Amino acid sequence: MLPLESINVTIITINVKGDFMKNINEKSATRYVIEKIIICLIIFMGSSILIGILLGVSLGVLSGVLSTDLSYLLENEKTNMIFSLYGQILLIVITCLYVKFSQKRSLTSIGLNKKISDYGYGVLIGSILVTLSVILAVIFKGIEYKGFYENINYITILIFLGGFIIQGATEEIVIRGFLMTSLTKKVSLKASVIITSILFTILHFGSLLEAKPIYILIGIINLFLISIVFSLLII
């Protein structure tokens, strides 16, 4: 039989070790979350810089080939937006490479698969939801219908539509496909949803800055809520 003092010392030692390991795990989880958020931001910012560089180089090469100064396109808002939207493909590629070779995960783990019909199904559902939103906005006077504009440039609309589909897909792949699924390795699913929803809201905050305070508040709430909805769809 062990003396009482030995038993007490043993229990205290076990408790101390348990508390110590718990603290280590908590620090490890916090460090992991911060690391993945930083990687996510680096991917976003790094890709934006690369897109800008590629745009400048491409226009420089075309200017040389065509013997025409195309630098004015850099000052064109539409041109810059189109390059920016389609340049998001680079962001998708970088994210996929990181997931595949650094995390050693399959691309299906971030929501990508080979069934093209799935993407078409998603586009159809999204189109219906957006259409319903517009109809409701018209009904409740959020949007005023003033007739049909005849001089519509359908090619421009299709170009921008394709760009925004890519941009929207990029956000889902990076924020929820990569970051949210990565965070669940160290923190709870609820925590990963909240963290990614906060980051999603912050990344879109720039588009709200010129609005009135009340609209900024509504925008923040809407962004956070829609991010949670998107997360639930992923889950």
Side-chain angles (χ1 to χ4, degrees):
M1 296 291 290
L2 287 171
L4 184 59
E5 291 80 2
S6 299
I7 295 174
N8 288 337
V9 169
T10 303
I11 292 172
I12 290 171
T13 303
I14 292 172
N15 287 339
V16 169
K17 286 183 178 179
D19 291 340
F20 177 75
M21 290 307 298
K22 182 179 179 182
N23 290 334
I24 291 294
N25 290 335
E26 286 176 354
K27 289 181 180 178
S28 176
T30 302
R31 186 164 55 246
Y32 179 86
V33 169
I34 293 173
E35 175 189 311
K36 294 307 174 188
I37 290 174
I38 290 174
I39 290 172
C40 183
L41 293 175
I42 289 174
I43 290 174
F44 267 112
M45 292 185 290
S47 298
S48 297
I49 293 172
L50 284 175
I51 291 169
I53 293 173
L54 288 175
L55 172 58
V57 171
S58 299
L59 289 178
V61 171
L62 284 174
S63 294
V65 172
L66 300 175
S67 300
T68 305
D69 184 13
L70 299 175
S71 59
Y72 69 92
L73 291 175
L74 292 171
E75 301 174 1
N76 187 291
E77 186 178 351
K78 285 185 178 180
T79 303
N80 278 323
M81 184 175 288
I82 289 172
F83 270 96
S84 177
L85 291 173
Y86 283 90
Q88 299 291 306
I89 294 174
L90 179 62
L91 209 162
I92 294 176
V93 171
I94 292 174
T95 302
C96 290
L97 290 174
Y98 178 81
V99 169
K100 187 75 174 176
F101 296 104
S102 181
Q103 292 191 319
K104 307 297 182 183
R105 288 202 284 154
S106 66
L107 296 183
T108 55
S109 69
I110 61 173
L112 298 176
N113 60 58
K114 297 179 181 180
K115 294 181 180 179
I116 303 299
S117 59
D118 285 353
Y119 300 102
Y121 184 62
V123 170
L124 177 62
I125 293 176
S127 300
I128 292 172
L129 291 174
V130 170
T131 302
L132 288 175
S133 299
V134 173
I135 291 173
L136 287 171
V138 172
I139 292 173
F140 291 101
K141 308 299 181 182
I143 296 176
E144 184 180 356
Y145 175 71
K146 293 186 176 181
F148 189 79
Y149 184 67
E150 295 180 356
N151 300 319
I152 296 175
N153 189 330
Y154 290 101
I155 294 177
T156 300
I157 288 177
L158 289 175
I159 291 173
F160 273 100
L161 177 62
F164 279 114
I165 288 174
I166 292 171
Q167 189 258 350
T170 302
E171 289 183 358
E172 294 311 303
I173 290 171
V174 179
I175 298 295
R176 273 162 281 276
F178 156 62
L179 184 59
M180 189 182 80
T181 56
S182 295
L183 296 185
T184 54
K185 301 294 181 182
K186 289 286 185 178
V187 299
S188 67
L189 184 59
K190 184 188 295 184
S192 65
V193 169
I194 292 173
I195 291 169
T196 51
S197 295
I198 291 173
L199 182 62
F200 180 83
T201 303
I202 292 173
L203 290 174
H204 288 82
F205 191 71
S207 61
L208 303 173
L209 292 178
E210 296 181 2
K212 295 179 180 179
I214 183 63
Y215 294 121
I216 292 177
L217 178 60
I218 292 172
I220 291 173
I221 294 172
N222 283 341
L223 284 168
F224 186 77
L225 291 176
I226 196 63
S227 181
I228 290 177
V229 170
F230 290 158
S231 298
L232 292 176
L233 289 173
I234 293 293
I235 295 167

